[in-house]
Amino acid sequence: MYRNREAICVKRCIESHIARCYYKYEQSFAHKRGIKRHKNAGLRKDGEESVPAICGLQVTERRDEGMNNNSGNDKTMTIHDVARELGVSASTVSRAISGKGRIGAATRDRILDYIEEHGFYPNAAAQSLAQSKTNNIAIILPEVNTLVDMPFFHTCMYGVEEVAQANDYDIIVVTTNGNDTKPLERLIQNRKVDGMILTRTYENDKYVKFLKQKQIPFVAVGKFPDDDVVQVDHDNVGACKELVTVLFAKGIQNIAYLGSNMDQMVNRCRYQGYEEAYRKGKRKLNQDLVYTELSNKAMVEKAVEELRNSGVECILCQDDYICDEVVRKLARMGVRIPDQMKVASCHYSRILENYPVTITSLKFNITELGRRSCQVLLDMIHGKTVPDKTLLDYEIILKESTKG
């Protein structure tokens, strides 16, 4: 995880520290007993740690006969020793272990049988080095203050982690301000990750441009106006369009829209759906009922005050955060929902469960969004063909806040 923009991947740090300590112990032990350790690493016996190296694989074999611990029975074997024992080349043994490259079935079986017979298995760290894989992926989140306010990112990250762990990958969490690419640069330059997931996209996204330039696999969670970028998103345009159409069908005539930061693609998509619903219903959109730059609580409260005096029937909120401020402000003003003002949200979260009246909203499966994003990224990392765009469905939840 990045804390104060410094990378901390806890699991990897612990593993690295243990490996270094064990390696020092092994060297000391070997020196006392006159044993020369091979500098390369890669295969290890169950219960016997060895230190990985980029240049090859190592088999560590230990035979204990009865209670005697004869130093002559301790032996270190490299992948070349395995090849020599079986009369094949080292590259053939490597192909059999990795499962990649051309190799006859009979030869592969003979090599794998030999490995199994002697209780050896590949060292994951050495394999990842040899295959230029880290088994890490990064998830890029917005600033911490936004994370506190919006449960969306917590839930999405949970879905990513679920799939990553199932595929033996760890995640590195990076919080950014959307402009500084240095945290991403360090990850790439130091070969810390195999790919990245962007959980927020902007119309002119610096991260997208940077990652395309670096040619590292990445997935954008959200829509982006570039068909070359792999995207996983919910149908925010279609969802908001359908919600507003349903509200019109309930006899609600004037629907205001409260939103913020139209540079973010998800916000643009939701407002686009709102506009399309007006066009579909052949209704004239009153721009005096539209607020798209509400960047703080005071601005939201002022907009609610203005709308209360404008005769508007319903306030459609861009997300749960704005909806929370709207509902609280209406309560302080003594405005009853839905009798005196109807309210709906373009995004549901548990924040909307804290009021005496239940709120009409759009429900998206955020955990599944995280799962699908991670699976698409892993498929890209492993060279599989993936769809350019993956669009997930939604659910309209009609509640008390829009009852007629």
Side-chain angles (χ1 to χ4, degrees):
M1 181 180 290
Y2 266 80
R3 294 178 183 169
N4 298 325
R5 298 186 179 177
E6 293 297 328
I8 304 175
C9 186
V10 177
K11 182 177 179 182
R12 295 295 183 188
C13 287
I14 294 173
E15 289 177 346
S16 177
H17 178 70
I18 292 173
R20 286 196 298 269
C21 291
Y22 193 93
Y23 183 51
K24 290 179 180 178
Y25 167 78
E26 267 198 317
Q27 285 183 314
S28 175
F29 181 76
H31 176 73
K32 290 178 181 179
R33 300 190 51 186
I35 301 172
K36 185 178 180 181
R37 307 299 293 178
H38 197 284
K39 66 179 180 180
N40 296 339
L43 292 174
R44 65 189 183 191
K45 185 181 177 183
D46 291 332
E48 180 96 10
E49 292 288 347
S50 59
V51 181
I54 296 176
C55 49
L57 298 173
Q58 173 178 296
V59 175
T60 301
E61 180 181 40
R62 180 170 180 171
R63 298 192 183 101
D64 294 326
E65 297 180 1
M67 299 298 293
N68 295 325
N69 188 7
N70 192 328
S71 62
N73 291 329
D74 288 344
K75 182 174 65 172
T76 299
M77 297 177 63
T78 69
I79 193 172
H80 300 282
D81 297 325
V82 176
R84 185 168 54 252
E85 287 290 330
L86 298 177
V88 297
S89 67
S91 60
T92 299
V93 177
S94 178
R95 286 196 295 270
I97 293 171
S98 67
K100 298 179 180 180
R102 296 172 61 90
I103 181 175
T107 303
R108 180 189 297 109
D109 291 343
R110 188 160 63 95
I111 294 171
L112 296 180
D113 287 345
Y114 179 86
I115 290 173
E116 183 177 1
E117 178 185 349
H118 290 77
F120 305 128
Y121 64 94
N123 182 301
Q127 280 191 320
S128 67
L129 288 169
Q131 298 171 8
S132 298
K133 291 289 192 299
T134 66
N135 281 77
N136 293 331
I137 59 174
I139 180 169
I140 315 302
L141 302 174
E143 293 174 308
V144 175
N145 63 330
T146 306
L147 291 176
V148 173
D149 295 332
M150 303 185 73
F152 168 88
F153 298 102
H154 300 158
T155 310
C156 183
M157 184 168 60
Y158 177 83
V160 171
E161 184 180 20
E162 184 179 305
V163 173
Q165 288 185 355
N167 289 272
D168 296 323
Y169 269 75
D170 295 321
I171 62 172
I172 295 178
V173 178
V174 184
T175 57
T176 67
N177 59 11
N179 294 310
D180 186 8
T181 61
K182 289 181 181 178
L184 279 64
E185 290 177 13
R186 287 197 297 269
L187 289 175
I188 295 173
Q189 290 175 357
N190 296 326
R191 297 179 62 194
K192 295 291 187 181
V193 296
D194 300 328
M196 300 188 187
I197 297 175
L198 300 179
T199 58
R200 171 175 282 175
T201 53
Y202 298 84
E203 185 177 16
N204 297 305
D205 200 301
K206 292 185 178 180
Y207 291 166
V208 169
K209 294 177 181 178
F210 172 76
L211 294 176
K212 284 185 66 177
Q213 181 183 6
K214 294 298 181 180
Q215 297 184 333
I216 185 173
F218 74 96
V219 171
V221 175
K223 186 177 180 181
F224 190 75
D226 186 343
D227 293 337
D228 292 333
V229 175
V230 176
Q231 306 164 36
V232 179
D233 194 15
H234 287 111
D235 186 6
N236 284 284
V237 175
C240 292
K241 178 180 179 180
E242 185 174 353
L243 175 58
V244 175
T245 300
V246 169
L247 296 178
F248 283 150
K250 291 172 65 66
I252 302 173
Q253 299 300 316
N254 297 316
I255 303 175
Y257 184 90
L258 269 61
S260 66
N261 197 348
M262 296 301 284
D263 288 336
Q264 296 177 20
M265 291 306 302
V266 63
N267 298 344
R268 296 177 69 88
C269 288
R270 289 174 181 172
Y271 179 66
Q272 180 183 338
Y274 169 78
E275 283 187 317
E276 289 186 6
Y278 265 88
R279 287 196 293 269
K280 178 183 178 181
K282 297 181 180 179
R283 299 168 182 262
K284 184 178 180 180
L285 176 59
N286 183 356
Q287 290 296 330
D288 292 336
L289 305 182
V290 176
Y291 298 77
T292 58
E293 296 298 333
L294 305 178
S295 58
N296 56 54
K297 177 180 177 180
M299 294 179 71
V300 174
E301 291 184 344
K302 182 179 179 182
V304 172
E305 292 172 357
E306 293 176 356
L307 291 173
R308 179 69 180 96
N309 300 322
S310 68
V312 69
E313 299 174 64
C314 178
I315 298 176
L316 177 64
C317 305
Q318 167 188 279
D319 53 45
D320 50 338
Y321 173 73
I322 290 179
C323 188
D324 179 62
E325 296 295 347
V326 168
V327 172
R328 293 178 185 278
K329 177 61 177 176
L330 290 173
R332 289 193 294 271
M333 293 171 63
V335 178
R336 298 189 306 275
I337 302 172
D339 299 335
Q340 296 175 301
M341 180 70 74
K342 295 174 174 52
V343 177
S345 174
C346 294
H347 177 69
Y348 163 85
S349 79
R350 291 183 179 179
I351 290 177
L352 304 184
E353 296 178 357
N354 299 325
Y355 318 119
V357 59
T358 55
I359 305 298
T360 291
S361 60
L362 291 169
K363 188 172 184 179
F364 304 101
N365 191 334
I366 308 303
T367 304
E368 181 61 21
L369 181 66
R371 292 192 194 109
R372 294 287 286 274
S373 300
C374 186
Q375 190 58 62
V376 169
L377 177 61
L378 293 180
D379 287 345
M380 293 175 66
I381 291 171
H382 294 119
K384 298 180 181 179
T385 301
V386 300
D388 295 332
K389 296 180 181 179
T390 301
L391 208 58
L392 305 184
D393 210 349
Y394 57 88
E395 180 183 358
I396 296 177
I397 305 176
L398 295 175
K399 295 291 186 177
E400 297 172 319
S401 65
T402 54
K403 281 187 175 180

